[in-house]
Amino acid sequence: MKKISFSNSRTLSSRQFPYAIRAIAQNLYVPWAIAISSEGNLYFTERSGSIRVIEYGALRSEPLITLPPPFISTGEGGLMGIALDPNFAQNHYLYVMHSYTQNNQIYNRVIRLLEISNRASIDRIILDQIPGGRVHNGGRIKIGPDQKLYVTTGDAGNAMLAQDLQSTAGKILRIALDGSIPIDNPFPFSPVYSLGHRNPQGLTWNFQNTLYACEHGPSAHDEINIIYPGANYGWPLVQGDEIAPNVIVQKPLIHSGQNTWAPSGLVFIKHGPWQGKLLVACLRGEQLLALLLNPDGTLVTRMEVWLKNEYGRLREIIESPDGSLYLTTSNRDGRGTPNIADDQILQLIPRSV
């Protein structure tokens, strides 16, 4: 694994950018995650509790649903990840992760929604009572190539929970779409797929179905990791390339050293001018990173820096089957400086060669 070398990175100008950029939705409130249907519709979450839809390039005026109590949006919590069922066109199931309160405690959970006639209702709870808090909720959910649901969870501000196999905090979880535990999970009868994470927020797979995740470090030392089943990623025992006594920890694919990226969105590009690159949307770093990988995807050979300080805090990055990318800003999350149009969803359209 390779430690970040800033001598091997480049900040590039917008004149070299191989995509045309247009805003397709504006004046949103912290658009957290996007999922794309087979018809090309965009379903996205706002952290305040609404699921919105962009259909035929236009934002529907009414939300699909606004979550009721005990839902809560506070600090870094609220409505976060979203995924569409692989058979969404037939069964109309959506999965989302959100924060809620119970007995004055904050938790997170994954629920399944049913969409009928442009309205959604809560169908069932898939995974419940994930420790939550004002910080470090993780929140990304993705359906993997194996048709299992992967969930990132933060340590909820209690670092040692990340090392506790009895807790679902500070983990990447893997469950079946009905909430059951797959029999091939690395820990019997447990949803835990990997442990030792501080606040992971991005998930993606490459052509070989290698799973990558990104997570926020305590002060710099943000990480991009290859996720292996059952592996321990070290938090809070180590950060960056450190070695833990008496514990085998997986070193990151790359980390930010003394710089801060605050990586949130992550996507491996499978089409278009950036095919084969790993893209990272950064919050505090206010940039889009493009990582060039070696053929087997286990080594970063170069890092490109794009859109530095052009759109502010960037939270989500996702690829459409047609090769377009969708990028969200997060300037209204309490840590940014919003402009008159924020927050936005930007479409990145490949330029003609």
Side-chain angles (χ1 to χ4, degrees):
M1 299 302 173
K2 183 180 180 181
K3 184 177 179 180
I4 178 64
S5 171
F6 289 96
S7 63
N8 203 28
S9 65
R10 297 187 298 163
T11 301
L12 299 164
S13 73
S14 57
R15 289 182 309 225
Q16 301 167 286
F17 199 66
Y19 295 83
I21 302 178
R22 69 184 184 105
I24 60 169
Q26 297 182 321
N27 300 307
L28 307 173
Y29 184 78
V30 192
W32 210 98
I34 302 174
I36 303 175
S37 73
S38 58
E39 296 85 7
N41 297 333
L42 271 62
Y43 292 75
F44 68 93
T45 57
E46 292 180 296
R47 195 157 71 182
S48 52
S50 294
I51 299 176
R52 310 287 301 276
V53 182
I54 297 174
E55 185 176 33
Y56 304 117
L59 178 66
R60 288 185 194 161
S61 58
E62 294 297 320
L64 199 65
I65 188 175
T66 298
L67 293 179
F71 167 82
I72 187 173
S73 178
T74 181
E76 296 175 3
L79 180 53
M80 297 172 289
I82 185 170
L84 302 184
D85 193 276
N87 296 314
F88 177 74
Q90 288 75 43
N91 61 28
H92 299 273
Y93 287 148
L94 309 90
Y95 305 86
V96 297
M97 183 170 175
H98 74 84
S99 307
Y100 70 99
T101 54
Q102 181 177 309
N103 298 325
N104 296 317
Q105 296 290 319
I106 299 175
Y107 297 96
N108 296 304
R109 67 186 179 192
V110 179
I111 61 174
R112 187 173 76 189
L113 305 174
L114 176 63
E115 183 268 335
I116 300 176
S117 301
N118 299 329
R119 291 290 183 270
S121 58
I122 297 174
D123 181 64
R124 61 176 295 184
I125 297 171
I126 299 295
L127 185 62
D128 205 1
Q129 290 200 316
I130 301 167
R134 290 189 56 83
V135 296
H136 305 177
N137 292 288
R140 191 74 59 194
I141 62 174
K142 297 280 186 179
I143 296 174
D146 56 3
Q147 308 300 295
K148 299 297 189 290
L149 190 63
Y150 290 76
V151 181
T152 73
T153 69
D155 66 14
N158 184 351
M160 285 311 298
L161 289 180
Q163 291 294 318
D164 181 359
L165 276 173
Q166 301 306 309
S167 173
T168 51
K171 310 295 191 300
I172 293 174
L173 310 176
R174 178 179 182 258
I175 56 175
L177 296 179
D178 62 1
S180 62
I181 307 300
I183 60 174
D184 58 346
N185 268 14
F187 303 102
F189 312 109
S190 171
V192 173
Y193 192 70
S194 63
L195 66 151
H197 299 286
R198 181 176 181 269
N199 192 22
Q201 289 195 356
L203 292 172
T204 192
W205 288 261
N206 70 3
F207 289 120
Q208 292 77 39
N209 296 338
T210 299
L211 174 58
Y212 299 89
C214 62
E215 69 178 89
H216 297 211
S219 176
H221 297 290
D222 300 311
E223 297 180 0
I224 313 297
N225 288 298
I226 297 176
I227 302 301
Y228 300 99
N232 187 335
Y233 290 81
W235 176 253
L237 308 176
V238 300
Q239 57 183 348
D241 287 327
E242 294 174 350
I243 297 174
N246 306 318
V247 177
I248 297 174
V249 298
Q250 184 67 41
K251 290 188 177 182
L253 172 69
I254 194 171
H255 70 87
S256 67
Q258 298 302 317
N259 292 273
T260 297
W261 298 335
S264 179
L266 188 69
V267 64
F268 180 87
I269 301 301
K270 297 183 177 178
H271 309 279
W274 279 347
Q275 184 182 58
K277 293 184 179 180
L278 192 61
L279 302 189
V280 188
C282 299
L283 293 165
R284 186 173 174 184
E286 299 191 357
Q287 60 197 349
L288 182 66
L289 303 180
L291 306 182
L292 285 71
L293 305 173
N294 69 338
D296 67 2
T298 60
L299 186 70
V300 176
T301 60
R302 190 171 79 241
M303 182 177 75
E304 300 171 350
V305 180
W306 296 96
L307 307 180
K308 180 70 174 177
N309 300 326
E310 291 190 32
Y311 294 97
R313 295 165 60 81
L314 305 179
R315 182 171 292 278
E316 169 74 303
I317 179 76
I318 193 169
E319 182 182 26
S320 171
D322 68 4
S324 293
L325 310 179
Y326 294 94
L327 183 65
T328 74
T329 70
S330 193
N331 294 316
R332 296 180 64 189
D333 63 5
R335 295 177 178 174
T337 304
N339 67 33
I340 194 170
D342 278 329
D343 276 317
Q344 305 181 73
I345 296 178
L346 306 172
Q347 183 183 17
L348 282 55
I349 305 166
R351 297 185 188 274
S352 300
V353 177

